Amino acid sequence: NALLDMDSQPGSTCPKRQRRCLRLLLLGAVLSFFVDLAWLGLPVRFERGSRASTERSRVALAAEPRHLTGVQPGDRFVGWMKHPVLTKAAKHVLVLEFGPGGEGGEWRVEDPDAIKRKRMQFQGDFWVVKTDDENRILIRDEKTVLNATLNGVGDGTLSGRVVQCGLSWGGFFETKLDV
């Protein structure tokens, strides 16, 4: 109230202008809030049953990741990997692409600072080994194993430990289904 009652303050030169600026600032903050909600695809209702709010709700539901019960051919996961030897404890980009049959595929580890460190990215084939636990799979090549937990950090994710040449200390990864 003190900000809006500028007329009663001594020495105020433009009380109407200050009130107008304050109102515009508040209006901008409120509009920004609703624009952010709409941009995120969250359902925003201005009137009951409006077509626009229903469409936003459908888009938001379609963007939600699916609960994984296994990997499927064509699945692509993108995230990060960190290992004390392989990546020198720095986070690197990890991309897993499952090929036809879902029994294998190709994986890439990309150094985000490859030019600065003059390091190459790694790219190679892997195969999938099912385990007794239906929520876990092994993604492996000749030297590396990713002990993956399905939905480990939320629906549509693979996460777990990185094992290199039998050493399982300190290596971790998290990936999310790329839709």
Side-chain angles (χ1 to χ4, degrees), residues 79-90:
W80 59 267
M81 169 182 152
K82 186 170 155 173
H83 189 273
V85 176
L86 292 174
T87 67
K88 298 195 185 324

Side-chain angles (χ1 to χ4, degrees), residues 5-19:
D5 263 346
M6 295 286 192
D7 294 330
S8 62
Q9 294 180 1
S12 95
T13 56
C14 301
K16 288 183 181 178
R17 185 175 184 185
Q18 289 173 345
R19 281 190 299 232

Side-chain angles (χ1 to χ4, degrees), residues 66-72 134-135 150-151:
R66 71 174 195 266
H67 183 79
L68 298 176
T69 56
V71 291
Q72 299 176 0
E134 62 187 30
N135 293 321
L150 302 172
N151 308 302

